[in-house]
Amino acid sequence: MTRPAPAPQQMAMDSGHSVRPYRIALLNPNTSARSTELMMASALEAAPAGVHIEGRTVAAGQDFIADAAALALAAQAVLETAPALVAEGFDALIVAGFGDPGVVALRQRLALPVTGLGEAGIAEAAAGGLRYAIVTVTPALHDSLVAAAHAVAPAAQFAGVRYTRGDTAALMASPEQLQQALLQACREAVDQDGVRAIVIGGGPLAHAAQDIATQLQLRVVDPVCAAVRLACARAGLRV
């Protein structure tokens, strides 16, 4: 069961009763500092005034979460890292992996609110009853992606998952190729699946969303930005 977030007025007070920024930790569940930088760029764009976001990267696991084994390692790393973030005095936590590794367990263990990229991105794509798809690069995570979609929004709205073509490692090493591959997969979701919204299924991929949305003229959700908006909404903060 998700614990209700304390009122932001209480959480944004220090011991001297002066107002301070609402602090959100963005925890990258893979070990890539570059991925953390990319996600922080999106997060900072979405953060409203008075909200301070800091990126953190887990120390153990894999540098890219591409299959179920890597997702399990990420969940363990998140559970091991989160208590230190609580000790740092953060008001909320975003687990910045689209598979939401460790999110359910953290909600049972921590007093501060926890938001996952997957739940936030899917909810925003499906808002208003739109038919939506997930577009990503990790076919080995198919079952978990489908389960996440069904857990957040009505199954009837979900058109399925579209994957990029080509070698994933090569795409991740080339921002230009990755952008083009994601765009092509998004076009297929629109033309073949009839979707009216898309969520990009991965934090390190999220920066592509804005450009794709402009080209396709439909809702394309950056899940990092969505997670920031949801975390702020859960705290009663204006976005």
Side-chain angles (χ1 to χ4, degrees), residues 99-153:
D100 295 346
V103 166
V104 173
L106 284 179
R107 286 178 176 152
Q108 296 171 344
R109 301 181 186 189
L110 304 182
L112 82 175
V114 180
T115 296
L117 252 60
E119 63 165 343
I122 291 167
E124 201 163 287
L130 296 187
R131 180 172 172 81
Y132 76 98
I134 298 170
V135 171
T136 188
V137 300
T138 52
L141 287 173
H142 183 81
D143 289 347
S144 63
L145 292 169
V146 172
H150 290 169
V152 174

Side-chain angles (χ1 to χ4, degrees), residues 7 9 11 27 32 48 52 63-64 67-68 70 81 97 118-119 124 135 144 162 175 180:
Q9 296 91 338
M11 297 182 72
L27 178 59
S32 169
H52 182 71
D63 62 1
F64 185 65
D67 55 33
T81 305
E119 63 165 343
E124 201 163 287
V135 171
S144 63
R162 284 279 174 176
Q180 287 303 310

Side-chain angles (χ1 to χ4, degrees), residues 170-183:
L171 291 178
M172 295 303 295
S174 171
E176 294 79 12
Q177 291 183 36
L178 176 61
Q179 179 88 11
Q180 287 303 310
L182 288 170
L183 175 60

Side-chain angles (χ1 to χ4, degrees), residues 13-28:
M13 293 286 196
D14 63 20
S15 58
H17 303 294
S18 60
V19 176
R20 61 170 176 79
Y22 186 82
R23 296 179 66 211
I24 300 176
L26 183 143
L27 178 59
N28 178 9

